[in-house]
Amino acid sequence: MPQKPPSFAEQLADCHHSAVHLEMRDAYGIAAEADEFAAWLAGDDSSRRDWGGRRKAWLDTVREAVGRGVVMRRARIVSEPVSEYIRFEHAGTPLNITAGEDVRWLPRRRASDIALPGNDFWLFDNRVVRFNHFTGDGASAGPEVTDDPAVVALCATAFEAVWERAVPHAEYHV
């Protein structure tokens, strides 16, 4: 029977230098944010500026990790024109940045010649990868964790190639 992977919190707590995240979907169907997304679509953008809401735990986690010296970077590969979901993410990204993440956006057309893994991932300290699997409708299908050196190298190379081409959040307009 396969061993249950460590939680994201455990992996980030064990991280000492860098945590990078590559997102490649144009929409996610995360149940916990469904109400916020629906409200945002209806014109209520308050959740995108709310430090005390659903995202508080995440923002506190970022601050804690960055406070102990972990560099956190997130890159998003997006189709253009962007989906409504990506517009929603973009609107909430300033909170991530204020918490300590550095975020960049790469139009998908500029990623065609980059070798990318098949799934979104986190890479911790260039030593362990946490793939985020999703169903066809964007719901979480659970993680997969590996420290296989070839997979780590693929993810590290892919992330850095995306990062180099990507547009900093402040300069990317949706």
Side-chain angles (χ1 to χ4, degrees):
M1 177 182 222
Q3 186 178 26
K4 181 180 176 186
S7 71
F8 177 85
E10 291 169 325
Q11 286 189 279
L12 188 58
D14 191 39
C15 182
H16 303 287
H17 307 289
S18 68
V20 301
H21 186 34
L22 183 61
E23 297 178 359
M24 298 181 283
R25 296 179 58 95
D26 287 319
Y28 294 85
I30 306 303
E33 67 185 17
D35 290 342
E36 287 176 24
F37 184 48
W40 181 84
L41 286 170
D44 175 5
D45 68 348
S46 61
S47 73
R48 307 292 71 205
R49 299 182 312 277
D50 183 6
W51 275 91
R54 179 190 61 83
R55 296 177 62 205
K56 182 182 183 337
W58 172 251
L59 299 170
D60 289 347
T61 297
V62 171
R63 280 187 163 169
E64 186 279 327
V66 170
R68 60 185 170 81
V70 176
V71 175
M72 294 186 73
R73 296 183 294 160
R74 178 187 304 255
R76 294 176 170 139
I77 298 174
V78 295
S79 299
E80 292 181 321
V82 299
S83 67
E84 287 299 300
Y85 185 86
I86 293 300
R87 287 175 19 89
F88 170 74
E89 278 194 328
H90 189 273
T93 296
L95 289 180
N96 295 61
I97 292 168
T98 301
E101 280 190 75
D102 194 358
V103 180
R104 294 186 182 181
W105 304 81
L106 182 64
R108 192 171 308 283
R109 289 183 178 273
R110 296 188 52 212
S112 296
D113 63 342
I114 299 173
L116 298 167
N119 296 287
D120 291 10
F121 66 85
W122 280 92
L123 174 61
F124 300 100
D125 288 337
N126 282 329
R127 63 180 173 77
V128 63
V129 175
R130 180 185 188 90
F131 286 110
N132 296 327
H133 295 291
F134 294 92
T135 64
D137 63 1
S140 176
E144 174 186 357
V145 175
T146 182
D147 61 0
D148 179 299
V151 175
V152 168
L154 169 68
C155 292
T157 300
F159 183 86
E160 293 305 329
V162 168
W163 189 258
E164 182 66 28
R165 288 186 193 177
V167 179
H169 176 75
E171 298 170 25
Y172 188 74
H173 305 286
V174 298

